[in-house]
Amino acid sequence: MTDPLELPKSAAELRCRLSAADLQLDFPVEELGFVDTSELQPLDGLFAHPRALEALDLGAGIAHRNYHIYAAGLEGTGRLNLLREALQQRVDGKRVPSDWVYVNNFAEADRPLAIEFPAGHGVEFRDAIQELVHKLVEAIPRAFREEDFSREKERLRTEYRKRGEAIGKDLEAFARDHGMTSRQMPDGNIVYLPRRPDGEPMTPEEIDALPAERMEEIESHRDELMQKASETVEQQRQMMLDINSDIRSIAREFAERLVKPWIDELAERFPAEKVRNWLDGLRQHIISHLDRFRSELIAGESGIPLSPLDPELQERFLDYQVNVLVDNSECSHPPVVIENAPNYRNLFGTIERVVDKHGRVMTNFTRIKSGSLLKANGGFLVFDLLEALREPFVWKELKRTLKSGEIQIEVYDPFSMFSVTAMQPEPIPVEVRLVAAGPPLIYHLLCLYDEDFSRVFRVKADFDSETLGGKDACVLYGQFVRRLCEKENTLPFTSDAVVELVRSGARLAEHRGKVSTEFTWVADIIREADFHARRAGVDAVTAEHVRTAEERRVFRSNRVAEKIRELIVDGTLLFNLRDRSVGQINGLAVADLGDYAFGRPTRITASVGIGAAGIVNIERESHLSGQTFDKGVLILEGYLRNRYAQNHPLALSASLAMEQSYGGIDGDSASAAELLALLSALAEIPLRQDIAITGSIDQWGAIQAIGGVNEKVEGFFDACRETGLTGTQGVCLPKSNVRNLVLRPDVLQAIADEQFHLWAISDIDDAIELLTGVPAGDTETSDTFHYAVADRLAVMIDILKEQPLQTMPLIWTPDMPTLPEDPRPPMPGEFSEQ
């Protein structure tokens, strides 16, 4: 046959070729209505997501407590801040929620009481109690030093002195009646001594000289005397108890007259019933613990009274402190709280522990700390659900809290080796609206496998990753630039710079009629373009600076791509980018490195022979292919059956390989190239090697869309440019992917100069004619490609009839026992077919 490269351009080549005009993505700058972004208003963060905004309106507007919101698909590090801004607009003008405090429970110290106050009153109550304690610290000792209290104490002392004297006289008279005299020792014990006639006690010598009869008489009264002594000591002890009790009663009476007016004043200022009850308990506790207010205990070593903020004084009056957990005094609307680290402690709060001076681990109600759920009470809490699911016990406790409608703050330390006395603060009711951001997949999985999830998160705010392009997209991006300028003081962008930015957004969206709404990525380009503009010393960012930012970003990440092109140029990777070959074709693959994806040619070869082994997928046999890749190869069977097995069976042995591919590969975008290589080997008609092809195929030969088309086209262009452009090279791609083409300026220029070409096809026959120069035809028309294939297959069948082989299926499938089971799943690949 004649070399197809020397033939005139075929009808398919002319019909399917794309011109440079077909690939341009231009916006008339003069129609945008602004010279630079300083003339625009800043972008409302979620303006580009109308569906999600409607969901936020619904979730914020319904009062039912289980209408929580799941924000699906919103990407980027600033997504939580965008949600906060959108929610703040929806809470303006609404009532500010209450404050919450914990106070000591005077009846059960391990069960602190939670008290609700109107917004801002929690701090006022805390300060009022602190002021009360400060006044009592000064007033109570002073009151006990005043004349009235001293006079009353002196009256009691006189009264009880007389009672003591009467008890002493009675004891002395009893002793005298028995010829004895009594003496009370310093330790309180009473002793009896014999009495002389003058009434004085005898000396030891005199006692020793007493006659035996006198000693026997004294001994006979021993029990009576001891009994009387015991009664006297008991009377004295009781008298001391009475006097102490009376003094305390007087002290309480004086303190009551001092404390009650101040407590009553606070009760009028904070009239809630629970507050009044606690104040009444506070009053009783103060009256019962007046010793805490003794002047020598509330003064320092120098004798100077301690400051109310002194730690020692704070510790002494710990029971009277107020722990403010939620303070909305500075809020003008319900809170919108972002929790960037949604672990157990941050969400639900905790009870901190301290080690006292004796080395004991202690806690008290002032150590109760609120979490973001409580801080957002009455408003919105925004957090990343995926991060929360990674934290132990968070999801279970979150559901329990939402179901019960109240939060129970607990000590949480699952790894602690020490036990602490449990404190059970009173639960606090919560009315918070959750806004959980996460991937759509997590939303669907939780709906399927967690029956509680859909009952709690009833509103889905679905954020799209793209929006319509055109003039509106230019204004949208321009407003986003203005927003970033105000926030980060970047330079303004000229209108042509905005157009270039929109072109980058269209490339990210992989659609000529749309742009990406992943504004985190867009913001990075804006910052880097601003850097290059400032380095150039200009006052505004232009299109050239945006292109420079994109080029340098690629340069920082394309070392691997350059190495692969070097291997192609020096012949380590064998590629023919100029001639033609039978059973060989250049496919295209995409390598995704995470931060950078690039395309590269992949040499696909086919080998056929007489036999009945069917088509062997070498990638699968070597465990290098994924399921989608294997499916693409299996689809070839359907095409061969539909095209060539309508009148007779098929019998061949063939193999397909991705040459010099040593990593895993997946995707079905090589199926069209594999089919062409297989048919070329059957028909013995060479394929052009200067044209690479990408596209998925169905069983009827239709070419289907694939992913990564820009990277694939540019990857083949780079390989051809490194080896030398011939003017005939190009890429054959699915017609349905034309809308996805947003190519680099150098590729577009090469197409405009006819140094590189693109062809859009919709059927495998177009590719056959383009790559072979032979009409595709059909199996009945001679001098056509399909006729040549059918003729070769017929020859194979005739040979098999003469030399029969064991019948085997055309294509091996995993359920057939003739080949071993694959011992492991496909490896994740360095390269992936999309």
Side-chain angles (χ1 to χ4, degrees):
M1 282 191 176
T2 306
D3 189 337
L5 296 180
E6 300 174 358
L7 290 174
K9 289 183 172 58
S10 65
E13 183 171 0
L14 295 175
R15 180 178 68 252
C16 300
R17 180 177 173 182
L18 298 174
S19 67
D22 296 330
L23 304 174
Q24 291 296 332
L25 184 62
D26 291 326
F27 303 98
V29 175
E30 61 278 1
E31 296 181 7
L32 296 183
F34 62 91
V35 176
D36 62 44
T37 54
S38 63
E39 303 173 11
L40 299 175
Q41 294 295 321
L43 176 67
D44 180 0
L46 300 179
F47 177 79
H49 304 280
R51 182 179 290 105
L53 289 177
E54 181 177 330
L56 292 179
D57 288 336
L58 179 67
I62 293 182
H64 192 282
R65 72 179 187 180
N66 281 336
Y67 264 78
H68 301 286
I69 303 168
Y70 187 92
L74 188 60
E75 299 294 337
T77 55
R79 56 181 176 170
L80 300 185
N81 289 322
L82 288 176
L83 288 170
R84 176 172 59 184
E85 292 175 8
L87 292 169
Q88 283 176 340
Q89 297 174 6
R90 287 157 177 78
V91 298
D92 284 341
K94 294 188 177 181
R95 183 184 67 86
V96 180
S98 302
D99 293 346
W100 283 92
V101 306
Y102 270 116
V103 293
N104 182 40
N105 186 340
F106 298 111
E108 298 179 83
D110 61 341
R111 296 179 179 273
L113 301 175
I115 301 180
E116 181 180 11
F117 287 92
H121 288 203
V123 172
E124 291 182 12
F125 183 72
R126 179 197 63 192
D127 295 343
I129 296 300
Q130 287 181 349
E131 183 181 0
L132 171 66
V133 172
H134 180 50
K135 290 191 294 186
L136 292 176
V137 165
E138 294 180 347
I140 291 178
R142 185 172 62 247
F144 292 160
R145 292 193 299 268
E146 290 179 353
E147 184 178 350
D148 290 345
F149 185 74
S150 299
R151 187 184 305 115
E152 191 65 21
K153 285 199 302 182
E154 185 61 31
R155 182 187 64 78
L156 286 175
R157 288 194 185 99
T158 301
E159 177 182 340
Y160 280 96
R161 189 183 305 113
K162 291 178 180 180
R163 285 178 57 184
E165 291 174 354
I167 293 173
K169 289 179 180 180
D170 181 63
L171 176 64
E172 184 62 24
F174 183 82
R176 187 169 55 251
D177 292 343
H178 291 79
M180 305 291 286
T181 184
S182 63
R183 291 288 185 270
Q184 192 161 14
M185 306 303 291
D187 61 0
N189 291 324
I190 296 175
V191 296
Y192 294 99
L193 295 173
R195 182 186 181 94
R196 292 192 308 206
D198 59 0
E200 293 298 323
M202 291 182 179
T203 63
E205 292 79 8
E206 293 174 332
I207 295 174
D208 291 339
L210 288 174
E213 295 81 4
R214 176 63 175 154
M215 293 300 296
E216 290 177 0
E217 180 185 359
I218 293 174
E219 188 65 27
S220 66
H221 299 298
R222 176 184 180 88
D223 291 341
E224 293 181 64
L225 294 171
M226 295 304 297
Q227 177 65 30
K228 184 61 175 179
S230 297
E231 292 176 356
T232 301
V233 170
E234 179 62 25
Q235 288 176 340
Q236 291 176 337
R237 188 188 68 82
Q238 185 61 45
M239 184 184 69
M240 294 304 298
L241 291 177
D242 292 343
I243 190 173
N244 288 334
S245 176
D246 288 347
I247 291 176
R248 283 196 297 268
S249 297
I250 294 174
R252 285 196 295 268
E253 181 181 344
F254 270 77
E256 179 78 20
R257 293 201 299 265
L258 181 66
V259 173
K260 189 175 185 303
W262 288 339
I263 296 290
D264 292 343
E265 180 183 348
L266 290 178
E268 293 179 4
R269 184 176 170 188
F270 304 98
E273 181 180 358
K274 196 169 186 180
V275 178
R276 287 178 174 271
N277 292 338
W278 185 80
L279 288 174
D280 186 60
L282 172 65
R283 178 183 58 79
Q284 296 177 21
H285 193 274
I286 291 173
I287 299 302
S288 301
H289 296 78
L290 291 175
D291 286 347
R292 297 188 182 188
F293 296 90
R294 288 166 53 189
S295 57
E296 61 269 22
L297 294 177
I298 56 179
E301 295 180 359
S302 63
I304 301 174
L306 298 174
S307 165
L309 299 179
D310 188 274
E312 182 181 344
L313 200 60
Q314 292 282 336
E315 182 69 23
R316 178 168 297 280
F317 298 105
L318 180 68
D319 292 340
Y320 307 149
Q321 292 187 28
V322 176
N323 182 9
V324 180
L325 264 71
V326 180
D327 175 24
N328 290 316
S329 59
E330 302 296 328
C331 296
S332 58
H333 52 68
V336 180
V337 177
I338 288 183
E339 182 51 72
N340 290 307
N343 55 41
Y344 191 98
R345 181 185 298 264
N346 290 347
L347 281 175
F348 305 104
T350 187
I351 304 176
E352 294 180 345
R353 296 170 297 179
V354 294
V355 179
D356 66 8
K357 59 185 178 182
H358 303 292
R360 297 173 299 184
V361 180
M362 305 290 290
T363 190
N364 55 69
F365 74 96
T366 65
R367 297 290 175 177
I368 302 173
K369 305 299 178 183
S370 64
S372 50
L373 268 172
L374 198 53
K375 294 175 182 177
N377 198 8
F380 291 85
L381 175 61
V382 185
F383 66 101
D384 188 322
L385 184 60
L386 193 57
E387 291 292 331
L389 291 173
R390 292 191 180 108
E391 297 289 340
F393 308 111
V394 165
W395 180 239
K396 179 180 179 180
E397 182 65 18
L398 184 62
K399 291 193 297 182
R400 187 201 68 79
T401 300
L402 295 177
K403 287 180 180 179
S404 65
E406 59 184 24
I407 185 169
Q408 176 71 62
I409 301 178
E410 300 173 342
V411 175
Y412 173 73
D413 191 354
F415 308 108
S416 175
M417 298 175 61
F418 306 98
S419 61
V420 182
T421 303
M423 179 174 286
Q424 297 181 336
E426 183 180 4
I428 296 178
V430 289
E431 295 181 4
V432 62
R433 185 58 45 90
L434 300 183
V435 181
L441 178 61
I442 295 297
Y443 177 84
H444 297 305
L445 289 176
L446 289 174
C447 285
L448 289 173
Y449 297 108
D450 190 330
E451 61 181 11
D452 297 323
F453 179 78
S454 57
R455 298 174 185 172
V456 173
F457 289 92
R458 301 187 180 186
V459 180
K460 179 184 178 184
D462 200 354
F463 289 85
D464 199 351
S465 61
E466 58 189 25
T467 188
L468 292 177
K471 178 182 176 181
D472 291 342
C474 292
V475 175
L476 177 70
Y477 271 45
Q479 290 177 329
F480 180 73
V481 172
R482 176 60 188 277
R483 171 192 174 96
L484 204 64
C485 288
E486 291 189 352
K487 184 177 180 181
E488 301 184 11
N489 197 30
T490 58
L491 295 174
F493 275 48
T494 61
S495 54
D496 63 328
V498 173
V499 169
E500 190 64 32
L501 197 63
V502 169
R503 189 175 288 110
S504 299
R507 180 181 175 89
L508 184 63
E510 295 191 40
H511 199 292
R512 294 160 54 79
K514 296 182 179 181
V515 293
S516 172
T517 55
E518 294 182 15
F519 285 116
T520 300
W521 179 89
V522 178
D524 290 341
I525 295 293
I526 294 172
R527 296 184 186 102
E528 293 171 23
D530 173 77
F531 167 79
H532 292 292
R534 290 182 186 274
R535 171 181 281 185
V538 297
D539 297 331
V541 179
T542 65
E544 184 62 30
H545 299 129
V546 176
R547 284 192 290 269
T548 301
E550 294 170 342
E551 291 168 1
R552 303 316 296 173
R553 169 173 280 212
V554 171
F555 173 75
R556 293 192 297 271
S557 303
N558 72 344
R559 182 181 61 84
V560 175
E562 286 189 355
K563 292 295 182 183
I564 290 177
R565 291 195 290 269
E566 289 178 8
L567 295 175
I568 293 174
V569 172
D570 64 21
T572 303
L573 294 178
L574 301 179
F575 284 97
N576 183 356
L577 303 179
R578 296 173 181 268
D579 302 318
R580 58 186 177 89
S581 298
V582 173
Q584 176 174 301
I585 194 170
N586 287 322
L588 294 170
V590 173
D592 193 344
L593 305 181
D595 65 330
Y596 177 63
F598 64 93
R600 56 153 289 184
T602 301
R603 183 161 55 96
I604 300 173
T605 60
S607 173
V608 297
I610 299 173
I615 300 176
V616 176
N617 176 5
I618 292 179
E619 306 304 314
R620 189 189 191 287
E621 297 304 307
S622 55
H623 312 303
L624 293 176
S625 62
Q627 295 178 346
T628 308
F629 182 89
D630 296 338
K631 175 186 175 182
V633 176
L634 293 172
I635 287 175
L636 302 184
E637 176 189 11
Y639 177 83
L640 294 176
R641 185 187 305 112
N642 290 332
R643 177 67 74 170
Y644 305 112
Q646 298 301 307
N647 300 318
H648 56 76
L650 291 176
L652 80 158
S653 293
S655 62
L656 292 169
M658 312 284 286
E659 303 293 352
Q660 291 186 288
S661 173
Y662 307 109
I665 191 167
D666 201 1
D668 63 351
S669 68
S671 57
E674 291 167 330
L675 178 60
L676 287 170
L678 179 62
L679 296 180
S680 169
L682 286 169
E684 298 182 325
I685 296 176
L687 298 172
R688 291 177 61 176
Q689 302 301 296
D690 59 345
I691 298 178
I693 182 170
T694 181
S696 167
I697 192 171
D698 68 9
Q699 295 185 101
W700 299 95
I703 302 297
Q704 303 167 139
I706 47 84
V709 64
N710 292 299
E711 289 80 4
K712 291 177 180 179
V713 170
E714 292 169 354
F716 190 68
F717 170 80
D718 290 337
C720 293
R721 182 179 58 185
E722 294 295 324
T723 58
L725 291 170
T726 63
T728 63
Q729 294 155 328
V731 173
C732 182
L733 52 89
K735 189 174 182 179
S736 54
N737 277 123
V738 173
R739 65 173 65 92
N740 307 120
L741 289 171
V742 186
L743 299 171
R744 294 191 324 236
D746 57 335
V747 179
L748 293 175
Q749 186 60 48
I751 294 173
D753 296 339
E754 297 189 356
Q755 292 298 304
F756 194 74
H757 309 279
L758 295 182
W759 294 274
I761 61 173
S762 57
D763 190 270
I764 194 65
D765 288 351
D766 293 334
I768 290 172
E769 185 174 341
L770 177 64
L771 272 75
T772 65
V774 178
D778 56 46
T779 57
E780 304 297 329
T781 304
S782 60
D783 296 328
T784 63
F785 187 86
H786 289 303
Y787 182 85
V789 174
D791 184 62
R792 176 73 184 280
L793 290 172
V795 171
M796 290 180 174
I797 291 174
D798 291 340
I799 295 175
L800 285 176
K801 287 179 180 178
E802 296 174 2
Q803 300 177 359
L805 297 175
Q806 180 182 359
T807 301
M808 293 185 68
L810 177 62
I811 296 181
W812 180 85
T813 57
D815 59 343
M816 297 179 181
T818 54
L819 291 176
E821 290 291 331
D822 191 349
R824 59 175 178 78
M827 296 171 56
E830 174 189 1
F831 301 106
S832 63
E833 289 285 347
Q834 300 187 33

